[in-house]
Structures are given as C-alpha cells and as structure tokens.
Amino acid sequence: MVNLILFGPPGSGKGTQAAKLVEKYNLLHISTGDLFRYEMGNDTPLGKEAKSYIEKGELVPDEVTVGMLRNKVEANPDVQGYIFDGFPRTIAQSEALDKLMAEKDTAISALLMLDVPDEEIIKRILERGKTSGRADDLDETIIQNRIDVYKSETSPVFDYYGKQDKAEKVDGVGSIEEIFDRLCASVDKL
Ligand code: C5P
Ligand code: MG
C-alpha cells in the first residue's frame, strides 16, 4: 500500500492536489475537513459539535476527529492506499494514525508538505471564499486563527514524521500542474 499524508497550511492546495493524486495512483482520498462539512450539511450530532469549533477556526477535539477518521478507514478496507488530507493535525492524531495503520499491517509511506508563504495563503483562502460556501474562508480573523493553530499545533506533525524519515517539503507555489508534477516526483521515489 501507499499511504500518503498531504500536509500544509490551510489554503496550500491539499484538496486540489489530493483529487489529482488519487486518480493517478488509485488511492482513496480522505479529507477530514470534507467529512466534517458533510456532517454539518446534514446537521448531524457530529456536525453540530464540529461546527462549534470550525466556525472559530479552532480544532475539533482529537478523539472526535480520530473516531470519524477511523470509521472512514474501516469502511474502506480494500483500497490500494489512502491519501490523508487535513489529517493528522496534532501529534496525538499522528500517533493514533500510526496505530491505525499498524493494525491494518501497513504504515504511512510519506508526508508531503506543500510549502506556501503566509501572504499567499491568505490571498488564496479569501479568493476561495468567494465560491466555497465556507464561512471560515470569508473572515480574516478566523483565517488568521486557522494559520496560528497550524503553526502552534499542526506544524510539529512535520517533525514527528521527520523523525521517521518520512517528511518532505514540496514547493507549493506555481501552477496546479507544476505543483502536481513535483508531488508525483516524490511519490514515484517511494
Ligand atoms: O482541512 P480543512 O481546512 O478543510 O478543515 C476545516 C476545519 O475543520 C479546520 O479549520 C478545523 O476547524 C476542522 N478540522 C479539525 N481537525 C482536522 C481537520 C479539520 O479540527 N483534522
Ligand atoms: Mg481542504
């Protein structure tokens, strides 16, 4: 199996690139953000709980996110691999993911980080907000909070997988195709 973590700050292009990677490598795309938005759209208890955090740009508690992720993985056992997008976002989530992969007799193959400067990220998220229908893409205070949370809680995940020799930075600035080619070059090395 090839199990990838597509990593990077909000607005770095994870969802866009994951959609292209799953096609080329025949993997299952799991975006925890999309899963939360689906639950919110259906106004489920999980959606209601997630909404109270997402609308402030905060992280949903680890046990909630890990439980949802685990359900999604276990519902799709017969795949050639997974692309995790927007997960893990904390060290606790990383440990839970490694444990889940080990239970399935597999492991994370690589974490690929899309490297994009802050100014570019804010510009991209505000642009996306015009059409994404996401309240958390429209308000600069919420966007800044998401970036702050990424720096304080999520960026240590890069070093966590760095210690396993699995973390790699990819230049996330350029055209969608240019960035895709860089990611493919990294995946093809695995
Ligand atoms: O990944 P994405 O940017 O779509 O996530 C949107 C929001 O969902 C995040 O800002 C956060 O509030 C929540 N989220 C989370 N934990 C995750 C993924 C998403 O709390 N692992
Ligand atoms: Mg996304």
Side-chain angles (χ1 to χ4, degrees):
M1 284 177 97
V2 175
N3 302 304
L4 302 173
I5 297 170
L6 206 48
F7 193 74
S12 57
K14 301 184 293 293
T16 303
Q17 295 295 335
K20 293 171 70 65
L21 289 166
V22 288
E23 252 187 68
K24 176 161 180 180
Y25 296 101
N26 201 17
L27 306 169
L28 180 73
H29 179 195
I30 301 184
S31 159
T32 42
D34 288 350
L35 293 174
F36 283 134
R37 283 184 285 276
Y38 176 82
E39 298 288 335
M40 290 193 290
N42 287 305
D43 216 18
T44 64
L46 172 58
K48 285 190 186 119
E49 183 176 10
K51 186 168 190 269
S52 63
Y53 297 95
I54 292 174
E55 66 189 7
K56 290 181 261 177
E58 291 172 4
L59 290 184
V60 178
D62 286 328
E63 53 287 6
V64 175
T65 306
V66 167
M68 179 179 72
L69 187 279
R70 176 179 274 277
N71 287 341
K72 184 76 182 173
V73 167
E74 286 176 352
N76 294 277
D78 298 317
V79 297
Q80 295 188 26
Y82 302 93
I83 294 189
F84 299 102
D85 157 9
F87 181 94
R89 265 190 161 78
T90 62
I91 296 290
Q93 290 179 19
S94 310
E95 290 167 351
L97 179 61
D98 282 354
K99 191 165 154 253
L100 178 61
M101 292 292 103
E103 281 169 26
K104 295 178 62 67
D105 281 327
T106 185
I108 292 300
S109 314
L111 175 150
L112 304 176
M113 179 201 169
L114 290 167
D115 198 13
V116 182
D118 280 6
E119 319 80 70
E120 169 87 10
I121 279 166
I122 296 175
K123 235 175 33 195
R124 283 192 198 176
I125 297 178
L126 287 170
E127 190 57 37
R128 180 173 73 185
K130 291 178 186 167
T131 54
S132 69
R134 289 177 54 171
D136 63 341
D137 281 349
L138 289 170
D139 179 315
E140 278 202 56
T141 314
I142 298 174
I143 295 171
Q144 190 55 53
N145 196 39
R146 289 163 64 196
I147 294 172
D148 292 346
V149 167
Y150 174 79
K151 287 186 181 160
S152 59
E153 295 188 54
T154 304
S155 66
V157 170
F158 185 86
D159 299 319
Y160 173 91
Y161 283 101
K163 286 187 191 127
Q164 299 181 23
D165 244 345
K166 291 175 178 171
E168 195 179 327
K169 257 185 211 175
V170 173
D171 181 1
V173 179
S175 73
I176 290 174
E177 285 308 322
E178 279 164 354
I179 299 163
F180 182 60
D181 288 345
R182 290 174 200 143
L183 290 169
C184 291
S186 297
V187 176
D188 290 337
K189 277 188 304 190
L190 294 173

